[in-house]
Amino acid sequence: MTDFDATRALFHIPDGIIYLDGNSLGPLPLAAEARAATVLRAQWGDLLIRAWNEAEWMTLPSRVGDRVARLIGAPAGSVAMGDTLSVKVFQALAAALALAPEGRRVVLSDTGNFPSDLYIAGGLLDALGRYELRTVAPEEVAAAIDEDVAVVMLTEVDYRTGRLHDMRAVTERAHRAGAIAVWDLAHSAGALPVDVTAADADFAVGCTYKYLNGGPGSPAFIYVAPRHADVATPILSGWLGHAEPFAFEPGYRPARGVERMRVGTPPVLALSVLDAALDAWDAVDMTDLRARSIALSEAFAGAVAQCAPSLDLASPADPQARGSQLSFRHPRAYAVVQALIARGVIGDFRAPDLMRFGFTPLYLSENEVLRAAAILGDVISRDEWDQPHFHARAAVT
Ligand SMILES: *Cc1c(COP(=O)(O)O)cnc(C)c1O
């Protein structure tokens, strides 16, 4: 059994805070703080440029990639780290289109997908000039996969509602229709068991600053199924994805396997912090994680139904049909979230009317989620949110 008291002790959680926003920015792992200090002084400071070899900075992306691979059911050597998720969506989609059958014109996604994924797809398809981005309601995706579809590009867990796609079933359907499947695991990696191998995904991408606690702007990951890794075209053909970067050849030759998805100089500070953050997962069993995530979210949902019965659940009521978050509708959701934060309960707001709460078993207890629900009940029943300063919108919500 995973010891969740032990994992909690690995994080800095400020006193008086109940943190229900680890789905947006995971908290600081203590090991990350220590690693950052070492990388800054002992590596960058003392070793200077020798650190690329002596501190093994150059292999850091692959070493961290192997640690992320384990959390998403991918074999070692199939995940590359770097850039941001938006960039990795671009790379994965471009590579998927190049592998799709000749003559297909449609990239299929759903209307619940994260805007950046749709923007990036739109921009890429405009540049390529011969494709159409088609979005349908999440429930209609499977039925919309037909012989025109080149690529099915979906986010497994909906960032607003937490609704979970059946990655395996949808991928199978895509493959039967001859299409390539690209999965965004932004709200899946570290949130629930993921098995890209069993699901037979062609490509998967995700970020590491949410449930993986890598810190603000920590690097993204890209998985390429081993069967595609030596033929996939890395549209961003940067020197560090070259077969021999230090040969400085005039022409591009892709590196073997997923290494070709590297682009430029790795973000060493951020990757080092992420590497330390991933220590927290070493003794975590993902089946235990899922069971506890469901227990926490069910405890919260049950308590909210009692303490704040006027709130509508915007997430699937069946815990098996959602990721590790719950969202509730309120016409003044933004102000309610600000009032909660003032009481030490940090969740977030998603336009137009959702308050969103993430359940992260590594550092949350049932006691905390019950207290958070009681505070939410107070904020609603006493109209605590209805004060002018809670309505003023900050730039980041
Ligand atoms: C969080 C998130 C992003 C953010 O992309 P960045 O490039 O890291 O800013 C993109 N897609 C999805 C589905 C997300 O949840």
Side-chain angles (χ1 to χ4, degrees), residues 14-358:
D15 286 342
I17 295 292
I18 301 177
Y19 196 56
L20 302 180
D21 212 358
N23 51 310
S24 209
L25 176 68
L28 171 69
L30 300 171
E33 192 174 21
R35 180 75 66 88
T38 302
V39 175
L40 286 171
R41 177 55 64 121
Q43 297 184 2
W44 180 21
D46 292 338
L47 292 175
L48 293 161
I49 200 162
R50 294 171 291 184
W52 283 108
N53 292 314
E54 291 174 24
E56 299 186 85
W57 283 352
M58 198 46 96
T59 56
L60 195 54
S62 329
R63 287 185 286 121
V64 174
D66 285 348
R67 299 186 80 184
V68 171
R70 193 182 72 79
L71 299 176
I72 61 167
S78 65
V79 171
M81 306 300 301
D83 315 297
T84 74
L85 176 50
S86 302
V87 173
K88 280 348 207 184
V89 167
F90 185 87
Q91 268 189 308
L93 180 56
L97 286 168
L99 290 172
E102 210 43 52
R104 302 217 177 178
R105 295 280 172 265
V106 173
V107 172
L108 181 69
S109 191
D110 73 39
T111 50
N113 205 346
F114 192 80
S116 198
D117 297 43
L118 299 176
Y119 302 159
I120 288 281
L124 173 63
L125 301 190
D126 281 352
L128 294 173
R130 55 182 190 278
Y131 296 99
E132 168 203 340
L133 178 60
R134 189 176 291 166
T135 53
V136 299
E139 304 73 28
E140 282 153 21
V141 166
I145 300 173
D146 60 24
E147 313 268 296
D148 295 333
V149 173
V151 175
V152 178
M153 183 194 85
L154 295 168
T155 297
E156 188 191 19
V157 177
D158 187 302
Y159 77 104
R160 279 203 194 88
T161 62
R163 183 190 184 285
L164 184 62
H165 274 296
D166 184 338
M167 185 156 93
R168 195 172 184 153
V170 174
T171 301
E172 196 192 330
R173 178 125 189 170
H175 287 169
R176 255 193 286 128
I180 303 284
V182 176
W183 287 97
D184 188 328
L185 303 175
H187 292 273
S188 311
L192 71 168
V194 177
D195 194 334
V196 291
T197 304
D200 205 21
D202 296 286
F203 296 87
V205 292
C207 53
T208 60
Y209 48 80
K210 292 172 180 162
Y211 292 89
L212 297 180
N213 315 305
S218 61
F221 65 84
I222 181 167
Y223 160 79
V224 181
R227 64 181 175 280
H228 299 315
D230 282 324
V231 289
T233 42
I235 189 162
L236 301 170
S237 36
W239 73 302
L240 286 182
H242 190 280
E244 285 186 80
F246 290 90
F248 296 104
E249 292 172 6
Y252 181 77
R253 282 190 295 126
R256 282 172 55 95
V258 76
E259 290 280 302
R260 65 186 54 199
M261 293 299 173
R262 288 177 63 166
V263 182
T265 303
V268 171
L269 297 180
L271 271 169
S272 303
V273 162
L274 170 60
D275 186 37
L278 291 173
D279 291 352
W281 295 94
D282 285 348
V284 175
D285 177 287
M286 293 313 243
T287 310
D288 294 345
L289 182 92
R290 180 67 168 158
R292 189 163 157 102
S293 147
I294 289 177
L296 291 172
S297 67
E298 286 292 275
F300 188 77
V304 170
Q306 298 264 308
C307 310
S310 64
L311 290 180
D312 282 337
L313 182 65
S315 303
D318 172 7
Q320 301 297 347
R322 61 185 191 236
S324 198
Q325 65 174 75
L326 285 173
S327 300
F328 296 87
R329 290 212 160 78
H330 187 283
R332 309 311 291 269
Y334 182 80
V336 175
V337 168
Q338 299 315 302
L340 279 173
I341 293 173
R343 296 273 308 261
V345 176
I346 302 186
D348 65 16
F349 162 79
R350 283 294 171 264
D353 61 353
L354 289 182
M355 24 188 165
R356 190 173 68 156
F357 304 100

